[in-house]
Amino acid sequence: MASESTTPTELHEEALRLHRAGRSAEAEAAYRKVLEQEPDRADVHGQLAVLAIEKGAFDAAEAFARKATELDPADAGCWNNLGTVKACQGDLPAAAEMWRKALAIEPDGADLHGNLGKALRGLGMDAEARIHLARSLELAPGRGSAALDLAGLLMAEGKPEEAAELLAKHAGAEPEAWIALGGLQLRRGLLPEAEAAYRLALRLAPQNARAHLALAELFLAAGAPAEAFDAAERVLYAHPEHPGAYAALGRALQALGRVEEAVDANASAANLDINNANLHHRLLALLRRDPRQSEASLAEAHVRWGRLAGASAVGLSEPAKPTDRSPDRRLKVGYLSSDFGRTPGSRVLAALLGAHDRAQVEVFGYSDLARPDDTTEALASQCDTFRNLTGLSNPQAAAAIRQDGIDVLVDMAGHLPGGRVAALALAPAPVQVAAPGYGCTHGLTAITHRLTDEAADPLGAESYGPESILRLDRPAFAYKPFEEAPEPGPLPALANRFLTFGYFGPLDRLHDGVLEAWALLLAKVSGSRLSLPALPADPRTKSMWLARLESAGLDPDRLGYRPAPESLAQHLAAYTRVDVALAEFPHPTAASICEALWMGLPVLGLERRTQAFRPGLGVLAPLGFADWMPDNAGAMAAQGVILATDAAALSRLRADLRGRLQASPLLDGPGFARALESAYRTLWVSALS
C-alpha cells in the first residue's frame, strides 16, 4: 500500500504491476493517484483508457484517450488507443483516421498497420487493407491477428490455398488464427491438417471454447461422434451455459443414435441462444424423431417457434399482395425444398416438376444448396426458373422470391437443413402453403394451409398447428423411381433358408425404442437376421454402437453390416439381398418407403401417432398395406411372422410390388400435379376474395 511519501514514479510502477496482475480496480485507483500528483501524464491517461476499454466503458475510455492525445500529440500510442476506442464503439471511419495519424508518427508500427488494415477491411476498402496487413506481417512475422484478416481477404477472393499457407506461416501465438486455419483445412477436406491446427490452438489456450468446439465439428465430420461428445463436454465443464457446446453435444448424441438425449441437448442450446434460428430449426426437425413426442407436443413446439419468427418479421416487410387479380390466369408457383439434390426426397420433385401443366402454372424452384450435384441440374431443368438461395439471408431470400412475383409459394422442407421456412414469415407470396415432405406442422401463421391426405392426417389433425388442413382426394405424394434401380430379383430367403430384414436409412435415427422393437421382431421370427448399414470406423464410436445394439437385446450373431455404398447403384443393389425392409419410427421417410417397395420389399414399421403426422401410412394405406405400419411393436412383430410364414407368398409379393406401385396413385406424377394445380387455384381464388 502506497504511503504519503510514495513518489509518482513508484505509484506508477505499482499501478502497472496491479494492471498486469488483472487487479483492475486497484490499478485504476493507483493510476488516479499518479494523476493527482502529475495531472499531465499522457501515458497514465492512456493506461486508464486501456483499463476502461477492458471494462467496456467506452465513453470513459474515449475521454482518457482524447486527453492523452491533447497532452502528447506526438505519441503514436495515444492515437492508437483512441483508434481502438472508436473501433470498439463501431465508428470505423474515425478509428481509421486515428490509426493513420499514429502511422504518420510511427510509419513502421506493425500493430498500427494491422489495426488500420482491419478497419479498412471492415469499411470494404479491401485493396488498401491488403497493403497495410501485408506490411504488418512484413514488419512483425507471426502476427496472427493480421494474418487472420489477410487470410479473410484471400478467402473472399477464392484463394483458400494461399490463405492456408499464410496462416500456417504467420499464426504465431494467436489461437484464433490457428482455429481459422483448422476451419479452412476442414472445408478443404484436409482433416489431419485441421486437427493439427486446432490442437496447436489448444496448446496456446487450453480452455479456448471455440477450439474445443471446432475440434468437435472435425470429429463429427470424421465420423467420430464419441470424440466430439468429449470435446463438447470439456467446454460445458468450464462453461455450463454455453449454447454452442450444447449444440455440439446434441449433434454428437444424435450421431450416436441417442435421439432423446440429443433433443434435450439441442433444447438447452436453443433456450440459451433464443435468437439463433439454426438451433431452433435443428431442434424442431429432430423433435419429429423423438419417441416421447405426441402430436400435441410436436405442434406446440413448432407453434412456439412460429410466434418468435412471426414477431421477428414484424415491420421488416409488408405481406405480398396479388398484383394481377385475374382468377384464371397462369399462376407462378414456387417450390422451396431441401431435396434439389441426390436425396430420397428428390424423387418426389422428379415426379412433380415436369408433370405440371405449363398452361396453368409457371414453375419456380428454390433451395439452399452448398453443394449442387447432377440431380440438382436435372431437377432445375424441369423448373422454368431455379434459384439457389445459398449465401442469402432470410430477408434477402424472401426479397428474391417477392421479386419473382410468386403467387403460390409451397414449402416442402420445413425446418430441415437446406430449407428456408423462416423466409416465409416475411410473407413473400400472397398464398403460402406447406406440402408433404416435412410431415408435420411448420408452426407459422404466415403459412395458411397444409396440403395432405386422409391417410397421413385423418380428421382431427386440424387441432395440431396453425395451418388449415387441405386434404387432396388422392395421396398427397408422388414418387419417381431412380433409373438406376435394378430388378428386385429372387427372394433371398429361398436360397438362404432364413428371412433377412434390412434397414437402409441413417444410423442416427435408431433410438433405443427402434432397436428394442427390432429385437422383438427377430425373437418372434425364428432364425431371421438383420442387415444394417456399416457401423462407423472410429473404434470408440463403433464400440458404443455395438454396446447399444446388444443392450437392446439384438443378438450380435444375427446382425450383418453392409459396406458403405460407393454409388447409388450399389445402394440400390443392396435391396436384392434383403427380404423385408424396416422403417425407423416415429417419423419414417415416405420416399425411402417407396424406394424399398419399388425394389420388391414389404416395409414394416410403427406409426404411433394416430391423429396426425403419419407419413408412413400416407404411403402404405393407399396400397392396402396399412397393417405393415401398426401402432405397437408386438403388432409389428406379428406382421413379420405372417410374412415369414409363407415364403412362396412373400416371393410372389416381391415380384408383384413394383407393378402394384406403378398402378397406384403414388407413381402418378401427372395426377398429383393436376390435384395440386386444382388446390392452388382454389387457394388463389380464395386469396383474391
Side-chain angles (χ1 to χ4, degrees):
M1 186 173 179
S3 67
E4 291 185 7
S5 61
T6 305
T7 67
T9 300
E10 291 169 334
L11 275 172
H12 188 228
E13 289 175 353
E14 175 67 5
L16 290 171
R17 183 186 68 79
L18 292 167
H19 196 164
R20 285 192 292 268
R23 296 160 64 178
S24 301
E26 295 169 82
E28 181 178 351
Y31 285 136
R32 289 185 181 277
K33 284 187 177 181
V34 175
L35 290 180
E36 288 174 6
Q37 299 184 40
E38 297 182 348
D40 294 336
R41 288 277 299 265
D43 58 337
V44 177
H45 280 282
Q47 284 144 2
L48 280 167
V50 172
L51 264 180
I53 291 170
E54 291 169 354
K55 291 194 300 181
F58 300 130
D59 289 344
E62 182 175 0
F64 283 123
R66 286 199 181 279
K67 184 65 175 177
T69 61
E70 292 168 8
L71 292 169
D72 191 357
D75 186 336
C78 296
W79 295 106
N80 183 42
N81 286 339
L82 186 53
T84 301
V85 173
K86 299 311 291 181
C88 291
Q89 292 173 329
D91 189 349
L92 289 182
E97 181 186 350
M98 299 305 110
W99 282 320
R100 289 188 195 280
K101 289 183 177 182
L103 278 169
I105 298 165
E106 188 182 329
D108 289 338
D111 287 350
L112 299 176
H113 281 287
N115 291 342
L116 178 56
K118 186 178 187 70
L120 293 171
R121 184 186 174 206
L123 291 167
M125 301 167 67
D126 291 355
E128 190 180 355
R130 177 193 277 269
I131 293 169
H132 286 285
L133 292 169
R135 179 61 177 155
S136 177
L137 291 174
E138 182 183 337
L139 292 165
R143 190 175 185 274
S145 57
L148 198 55
D149 285 309
L150 188 52
L153 289 174
L154 290 169
M155 286 296 295
E157 295 170 6
K159 300 175 180 177
E161 294 83 0
E162 288 184 39
E165 184 178 345
L166 178 83
L167 286 169
K169 182 178 179 181
H170 291 291
E174 175 55 65
E176 294 300 320
W178 288 110
I179 294 171
L181 175 59
L184 202 159
Q185 303 290 44
L186 181 59
R187 287 192 293 275
R188 297 171 66 201
L190 303 174
L191 271 58
E193 290 83 351
E195 182 175 357
Y198 292 146
R199 294 202 180 280
L200 277 167
L202 286 169
R203 191 178 304 166
L204 292 166
Q207 301 303 318
N208 188 300
R210 272 177 35 81
H212 282 292
L213 294 179
L215 205 53
E217 185 75 22
L218 180 144
F219 287 137
L220 287 167
E227 301 295 335
F229 178 93
D230 290 346
E233 287 272 83
R234 282 192 287 273
V235 176
L236 287 171
Y237 180 79
H239 308 280
E241 295 191 350
H242 196 298
Y246 274 111
L249 186 68
R251 291 181 62 200
L253 288 165
Q254 183 180 352
L256 291 167
R258 294 158 62 176
V259 174
E260 297 98 317
E261 294 172 83
V263 165
D264 294 342
N266 278 295
S268 295
N271 289 333
L272 288 166
D273 192 355
I274 195 73
N275 294 317
N276 188 321
N278 287 334
L279 295 180
H280 289 279
H281 294 315
R282 187 180 300 157
L283 170 63
L284 292 172
L286 187 58
L287 275 174
R288 300 170 311 142
R289 306 200 180 280
D290 183 352
R292 300 171 299 182
Q293 305 300 322
S294 65
E295 295 94 333
S297 62
L298 262 180
E300 181 184 352
H302 283 76
V303 169
R304 191 163 53 244
W305 168 83
R307 291 196 194 101
L308 287 172
S312 300
V314 171
L316 293 181
S317 64
E318 287 294 317
K321 299 284 196 302
T323 49
D324 181 343
R325 299 180 62 84
S326 170
D328 299 320
R329 68 173 173 82
R330 186 186 189 209
L331 296 177
K332 289 186 174 183
V333 175
Y335 288 103
L336 184 56
S337 174
S338 57
D339 286 318
F340 277 96
R342 181 148 284 197
T343 67
S346 69
R347 309 321 299 156
V348 179
L349 290 172
L352 172 63
L353 297 176
H356 267 306
D357 179 356
R358 274 0 194 226
Q360 294 294 318
V361 297
E362 180 181 356
V363 177
F364 289 71
Y366 302 97
S367 194
D368 188 345
L369 288 169
R371 295 182 179 85
D373 56 27
D374 55 346
T375 301
T376 308
E377 184 177 352
L379 292 174
S381 71
Q382 296 184 46
C383 299
D384 297 293
T385 302
F386 176 76
R387 303 197 191 286
N388 191 343
L389 303 177
T390 296
L392 299 183
S393 66
N394 286 319
Q396 289 171 332
I401 294 168
R402 188 186 296 265
Q403 183 68 32
D404 285 335
I406 297 300
D407 300 310
V408 180
L409 183 58
V410 186
D411 186 78
M412 305 178 78
H415 298 274
L416 295 171
R420 284 302 188 92
V421 65
L424 276 75
L426 298 166
V431 176
Q432 300 190 146
V433 299
Y438 186 61
C440 181
T441 176
H442 290 42
L444 271 179
T445 56
I447 298 177
T448 58
H449 289 78
R450 185 160 68 87
L451 296 172
T452 184
D453 57 58
E454 190 173 347
D457 291 280
L459 290 174
E462 286 79 0
S463 304
Y464 303 109
E467 311 98 334
S468 296
I469 298 294
L470 181 58
R471 293 181 182 84
L472 304 183
D473 59 3
R474 51 147 290 137
F477 179 83
Y479 179 81
K480 183 176 182 179
F482 284 113
E483 294 176 357
E484 296 90 335
E487 290 297 318
L491 185 75
L494 296 177
N496 294 334
R497 304 296 183 186
F498 58 79
L499 199 70
T500 302
F501 296 101
Y503 172 66
F504 295 88
L507 286 171
D508 62 13
R509 298 176 183 175
L510 305 184
H511 56 79
D512 289 345
V514 172
L515 300 180
E516 289 163 4
W518 291 354
L520 177 62
L521 175 64
L522 263 62
K524 295 294 184 182
V525 181
S526 178
S528 60
R529 295 176 59 84
L530 174 58
S531 172
L532 292 169
L535 296 180
D538 172 61
R540 277 192 64 205
T541 303
K542 183 176 183 178
S543 176
M544 293 172 78
W545 266 105
L546 289 171
R548 282 193 64 229
L549 293 166
E550 190 165 1
S551 177
L554 288 161
D555 182 351
D557 292 335
R558 296 174 68 181
L559 302 179
Y561 303 97
R562 304 184 301 276
E566 296 180 1
S567 65
L568 175 63
Q570 284 189 10
H571 163 72
L572 294 169
Y575 284 101
T576 65
R577 298 185 288 277
V578 171
D579 300 295
V580 177
L582 300 178
E584 74 275 12
F585 61 85
H587 197 89
T589 304
S592 296
I593 294 174
C594 281
E595 182 177 278
L597 294 171
W598 183 252
M599 291 305 303
L601 278 66
V603 182
L604 297 182
L606 294 183
E607 200 83 279
R608 284 179 172 160
R609 293 172 187 144
T610 58
Q611 297 174 292
F613 316 147
R614 310 189 309 179
L617 281 171
V619 174
L620 294 176
L623 294 169
F625 297 132
D627 289 347
W628 292 351
M629 196 70 63
D631 63 1
N632 66 86
M636 186 185 74
Q639 287 297 313
V641 171
I642 291 171
L643 291 170
T645 300
D646 190 341
L650 186 57
S651 183
R652 289 194 297 273
L653 185 62
R654 188 182 187 92
D656 294 345
L657 267 176
R658 184 170 286 191
R660 291 181 69 163
L661 198 58
Q662 283 177 314
S664 79
L666 293 170
L667 260 66
D668 181 11
F672 184 37
R674 297 297 86 73
L676 288 177
E677 289 158 8
S678 175
Y680 299 157
R681 184 68 60 186
T682 299
L683 294 172
W684 174 249
V685 171
S686 177
L688 294 179
S689 64

